[in-house]
């Protein structure tokens, strides 16, 4: 079983940066990908970015591309989401999730979720 815990959220002003961290534990050797998602008030949860641990590839949703970057540390058990030039519309609870499925295809395949970390961007 895999567990993930997010950290790094907070209150910032528009234009500032934050880095979120997601630490994985448990059977991390089974992880095939980790991703970041967010849910704004009154909206559905949406995909932000993923890091595929098998191929090393990363992908960032077009809505935040150019401002957000996903990366993985040398220990390979923590994934980061660097968020620059934050906008008020980035305000949301940010969730980290992991999947152990080979050949995963959708974010519905992510079965291990954290509790989320609040990011609030003020104008």
């Amino acid at each position: 079983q895999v567990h993930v815990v997010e950290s790094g959220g907070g209150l910032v002003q528009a234009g500032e940066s934050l880095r979120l961290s997601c630490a994985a534990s448990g059977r991390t050797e089974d992880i095939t990908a980790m991703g970041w998602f967010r849910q704004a008030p009154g909206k559905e949860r949406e995909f932000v970015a993923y890091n595929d641990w098998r191929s090393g590839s990363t992908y960032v949703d077009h809505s935040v591309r150019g401002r957000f970057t996903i990366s993985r540390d040398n220990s390979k058990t923590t994934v980061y989401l660097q968020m620059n030039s934050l906008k008020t519309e980035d305000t949301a609870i940010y969730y980290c999730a992991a999947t152990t499925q080979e050949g995963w295809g959708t974010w519905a395949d992510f079965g291990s979720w954290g509790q989320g970390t609040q990011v609030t961007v003020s104008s």
Side-chain angles (χ1 to χ4, degrees):
Q1 194 170 6
V2 173
H3 301 278
V4 296
V5 177
E6 310 95 336
S7 62
L11 172 63
V12 296
Q13 292 190 328
E16 294 183 338
S17 300
L18 271 178
R19 189 177 78 159
L20 305 182
S21 300
C22 178
S25 61
R27 295 185 61 86
T28 58
E29 66 273 18
D30 293 339
I31 295 175
T32 55
M34 289 183 68
W36 285 98
F37 302 81
R38 67 184 182 182
Q39 187 165 17
K43 296 186 177 181
E44 295 186 351
R45 191 172 298 186
E46 63 180 10
F47 163 77
V48 177
Y50 75 73
N51 183 309
D52 190 301
W53 288 23
R54 292 291 188 261
S55 67
S57 64
T58 62
Y59 182 83
V60 178
D61 188 75
H62 66 88
S63 63
V64 297
R65 195 173 299 157
R67 299 189 298 119
F68 290 13
T69 304
I70 187 170
S71 62
R72 184 181 170 191
D73 74 357
N74 291 336
S75 72
K76 300 184 178 181
T77 59
T78 300
V79 173
Y80 302 99
L81 184 68
Q82 177 67 43
M83 306 185 295
N84 298 329
S85 302
L86 282 161
K87 304 176 180 180
T88 56
E89 52 262 44
D90 294 319
T91 295
I93 299 175
Y94 284 71
Y95 297 91
C96 175
T99 179
T100 58
Q101 293 193 30
E102 298 288 349
W104 63 275
T106 73
W107 64 272
D109 294 329
F110 286 77
S112 301
W113 290 79
Q115 293 298 307
T117 185
Q118 177 71 48
V119 172
T120 303
V121 185
S122 63
S123 59

